[in-house]
Amino acid sequence: MANKTTKNPAEIFSELNLQNQILLPSDGEYQERQESFWSLYSKVEPACIVRPTTTNEVSAIVKTLVASGQKFAVRSGGHTQWAGANNIQDGVTIDLQFLNWTKFDEKTRNVDIGPGARWKDVYTELEKHGRVVAGGRNGKVGVGGLLLGGGKTFFTGSRGLACDDIISFEVVLADGSIVTADATNSQKDLFMALKGGSGNFGIVTNFKMQTFVCEKIWGGFRILSKEHISDALQALEDFTPHVPEEVDSNILLFIAYMGKLKDVVVIEALVQVGAVENAPAYNKMISIPAVMDMCKMTTVRELVSEYDPVPNGYYNCFYTLTIKNDVRIFNKAADLHHQVVGDLKALIPKGNFLTECLFQPFSKCIGKRSAERGGNIMGISAQPEDGVLWVAIIVIKTAEQEKVAYPMLQKWGESVRDFASSIENGLLPWVYMNYADKSQQPLASYGAENVKKMKDVAAKYDPEEIFQKLCPGGFKISDLTL
Ligand SMILES: Cc1cc2nc3c(=O)[nH]c(=O)nc-3n(C[C@H](O)[C@H](O)[C@H](O)COP(=O)(O)OP(=O)(O)OC[C@H]3O[C@@H](n4cnc5c(N)ncnc54)[C@H](O)[C@@H]3O)c2cc1C
C-alpha cells in the first residue's frame, strides 16, 4: 500500500541540491543498494533512496520529510534481517552509506565513527594506531544498528556491551536540530536511552567511542562432528560460570546444518583477546576431538574479515532468547534443531539451506560491567542468573521455502521458550534486540522502569512522534503499553 504523501518523494528534495545522492528505482545504483541489504526480507521497494554526506544534510532531509508528511526509514549497514526495519515500501529510505568515517584522535585516544561505517573498516583504521574498539565480530556488519541495539563483542566479559564504550552520540532530532548527547550534559537522558533504544529518538550521525590496545588475539573455529553435540553442550555449561575470572576468553557454540556439507556439525568459535593460546577456560572444549582446527594467533581486524558465515541474498529467519546456563535447556534446543533439519530436508530435498542453533555465554557479570561503566537502558544488570544468549536461525533461498520455514522457526523458538519456562529461572527476561524477530518484544524485556524512561525521552525529544509514526521501522517504544 502506498504511503500518504503530499508530493512525489524524490521531488520534495528539489531545493536541497542533493543531485547524485538521490536514487530512483530506474537507477542502476538503486538496484545495487537494494542488493547490498544482508537479508532478502529487507528488499522492500522505497520510492527513493537518499544518501546524505553530512550531518547538516541529514538535518535538512529530516526537516523536508517531516514538512511533507513523508514516511521514511533509516539504514546504516542494513543487516537487520526482518522486513521494514531498515527500508520502506513506497517511502524514502535514508541510507547512511556515506557517513562512514573512522577518525582517531591521538590526543584523547577516542574515535569518531560514522553510522554507515562497517566494522572491518573501523578496525583497519584503528590498527594503524595500535588500537581497537569493542565492536562487531563480523567485518561487514554496520556500526549504527549494532551500537544502538547494544552490541555483543569479543570484549563483553571485561567491558560490557559495545554501547557501554560510547562517550557521546551526535543526533539529528525530529525537528532537524543537531545535539551531542553525553553522560553529563543536558541530554544525558537521551544518551542513556540511545544505549539500547535504537531508532526511537532521532538519527545518530556520529558515535564517539573509547579505544584501547589489543595487538594480538588468539582464536578461530574448531569444527567437530555431530557425535559430539552433547559433549560440547556440557562443556558450554561448565564454561559459563568461569566468565568472570576468564573475561578474555569468548565462546560461540554453533550446532549448524551446512548446505555445502549436507550435514550437521558443531562449530566452536573460540576467541581469546588476551592472546593466550589454548587458555585454561577452553580445556573441556579443546579436549573434544576436532575434524578441523583453524585457531591461530591473529588480530581483531583479520578475524572479523575472515568470519562471514552467511552471505547476502537469503531469507534469514531469527528467533532469540536468553536462557539459564542449564544443559537441559541446551539439549532441548539441540533436539528440536535436529527435528527442524529433518523437516527442512523434506521441504528442500537438495539440502541447500543453512541452520544455526547458536549459544553464547551471557554471564551475570556482563550486566555488572555495564553498570560500572555508566549503564545502559537494557536492564541487563538485573539479570538474576548466569545466562546464555540463544539464537535459532534458518537461512533459505526462495519465498516458497520461507513460507514454510518461518513458522517452523517460530515453533522451534516458542518450544524452547516454553521448556525453559518450566525450569526455575530457566527463561531470563532479556531479549536481545539485534537478534530478535519482529514477532518478539525486545524493548519490553528491558523492564517497566526502562520502558518508562524511554517513553519519557521519546516524548521530550520527539513530541510529535515522528520517529514512531513517520519512521515506523524497527522496534518502536510506542508499541508498548506501560
Ligand atoms: C552476519 C552478522 C553478524 C553479526 N554479528 C553481531 C555481533 O558480533 N554482535 C552483535 O551484537 N550483533 C551482531 N549482529 C546483529 C547486528 O548487530 C544487527 O543486525 C544490527 O542491526 C546491524 O546493524 P546495521 O547498521 O547493519 O543494521 P541496520 O539494519 O542498518 O539498522 C538496524 C536498525 O537500527 C536503525 N538504525 C541504524 N542506524 C541508525 C542511526 N544512525 N540512527 C537511528 N537509527 C538507526 C535502523 O533503522 C534499523 O531499525 C550480526 C548480524 C549479522 C547479520
Side-chain angles (χ1 to χ4, degrees), residues 1 33-34 47 101 110 127 142 144 160 163 165 217 227 260 274 308 312 345 372 389-390 402 405 423 436:
M1 195 177 72
R33 292 311 290 157
Q34 289 288 95
W101 53 81
N110 296 328
E127 200 175 75
C163 64
D165 267 349
I217 62 173
E227 287 70 39
K260 279 188 191 149
D308 192 18
N312 289 19
K345 277 185 181 165
E372 285 160 13
L389 260 183
W390 174 69
E402 190 276 339
I423 290 172

Side-chain angles (χ1 to χ4, degrees), residues 459-479:
K460 177 173 163 189
Y461 292 93
D462 180 16
E464 288 176 20
E465 297 195 293
I466 300 301
F467 284 96
Q468 304 302 316
K469 295 188 172 143
L470 218 53
C471 179
F475 292 104
K476 291 294 164 184
I477 193 69
S478 54
D479 291 340

Side-chain angles (χ1 to χ4, degrees), residues 15 43 67 97 145 155 171 176 207 214 263 281 284 291 342 412 440:
E15 282 164 31
K43 287 171 68 176
Q97 173 189 23
F155 304 94
V171 194
F207 300 88
C214 175
D263 206 355
K284 285 208 173 128
V291 182
W412 176 19
Q440 301 192 270

